[in-house]
Amino acid sequence: MTETPSSASGKVAIVVGGGSGIGAACVREFAANGYRVVAMSPSGRARALAESLGGAGLDGSNTSTEDLRACVDLAVSRYGRVDAVVNSSGHAARGPVLEITDEQWSEGVDLYLLNVVRMARLVTPHLVASGGAIVNISTAGAFEPGPMFPVSVTMRAALASFTKLYANEYGPQGIRMNNVLTGLTKDDPSVVPAEWTSGIPLRRAQSTAEAARIVRFLAGEESAYMTGQNIRVDGGETKSV
């Protein structure tokens, strides 16, 4: 499932939310497979990571259209094209579902749904030229929602519908969009207590590096016939068929 660096040579990947966790692992994974990477996060960590790997980056938020535009413009001005986009997000509000405020629900729309919509508007004209792909980091809770992350699971269920709409609209132009529905994921799964993974058939957490390999697969030529899909990568924890 690994592209050789030569097969991806010259390709350009944008990673939004690449400062930590799965996003940072994606920056490393794409760079290791020959992509030129442009990364963004509010903290500055994504920019520093991308630059350390020979790419480029900037500081910004996935909820800002102007920051997203600046990210796309940087990729095009620096490298002349865009082949893949990864949309990753942080955590929204938590708490009992009826205690989430209107403002917190609105923040969730920006963080988990409109971030993808806005980036798609900006980058799709460039993906037409490359026949590229967009991959969104979602959650397995989108289809089996739990109470721990109410805003996340609600908005990512909406993201699943948007992804189907986008795939249907832009598939004829060779552009793909898929979601990666992750379960319990940590940079170092060995630190996760056994009681946390007792309900997972594989009895362990996923590493961010493992998740990043799935993301890179969905962005590359090996998955050229996959679009509009919600790919569960949760160790078998999801029970529904």
Side-chain angles (χ1 to χ4, degrees):
M1 204 168 70
T2 302
E3 276 185 300
T4 62
S6 60
S7 69
S9 179
K11 290 187 177 181
V12 178
I14 293 174
V15 180
V16 178
S20 61
I22 296 173
C26 287
V27 174
R28 298 186 185 96
E29 174 69 16
F30 278 88
N33 279 271
Y35 284 78
R36 295 172 290 182
V37 181
V38 174
M40 183 178 80
S41 71
S43 66
R45 292 194 298 266
R47 170 178 47 78
L49 177 59
E51 290 174 351
S52 75
L53 297 170
L58 71 163
D59 305 342
S61 169
N62 72 345
T63 65
S64 166
T65 299
E66 292 310 310
D67 290 349
L68 293 172
R69 179 179 289 109
C71 194
V72 174
D73 289 347
L74 176 60
V76 174
S77 64
R78 182 72 60 90
Y79 301 121
R81 60 187 291 156
V82 180
D83 298 274
V85 177
V86 179
N87 290 303
S88 185
S89 301
H91 293 296
R94 307 182 194 182
V97 66
L98 293 184
E99 293 181 14
I100 303 295
T101 67
D102 287 2
E103 291 76 15
Q104 289 170 329
W105 284 112
S106 295
E107 289 170 359
V109 173
D110 268 345
L111 192 64
Y112 296 128
L113 177 60
L114 289 182
N115 65 312
V116 174
V117 176
R118 290 164 178 155
M119 173 56 86
R121 288 192 191 114
L122 294 165
V123 81
T124 295
H126 302 288
L127 294 177
V128 169
S130 64
I134 299 173
V135 184
N136 308 309
I137 309 301
S138 183
T139 174
F143 299 128
E144 285 194 10
M148 186 173 293
F149 302 104
V151 177
S152 171
V153 298
T154 300
M155 299 310 164
R156 281 161 162 167
L159 175 61
S161 291
F162 174 77
T163 296
K164 290 288 187 181
L165 292 170
Y166 181 93
N168 185 63
E169 183 75 16
Y170 291 98
Q173 298 180 60
I175 306 172
R176 299 180 296 115
M177 179 184 285
N178 292 290
N179 300 326
V180 176
L181 278 57
T182 60
L184 181 58
T185 306
K186 298 290 184 181
D187 288 337
D188 180 4
S190 69
V191 305
V192 177
E195 57 266 28
W196 288 17
T197 61
S198 61
I200 301 173
L202 289 181
R203 294 298 192 273
R204 66 176 181 86
Q206 174 179 227
S207 72
T208 53
E210 288 177 302
R213 288 196 289 271
I214 299 298
V215 172
R216 202 271 315 140
F217 165 73
L218 289 171
E221 295 177 359
E222 296 154 308
S223 61
Y225 205 58
M226 296 176 68
T227 191
Q229 302 305 306
N230 292 277
I231 310 299
R232 293 169 177 163
V233 189
D234 63 355
E237 186 175 12
T238 300
K239 301 300 188 293
S240 61
V241 176

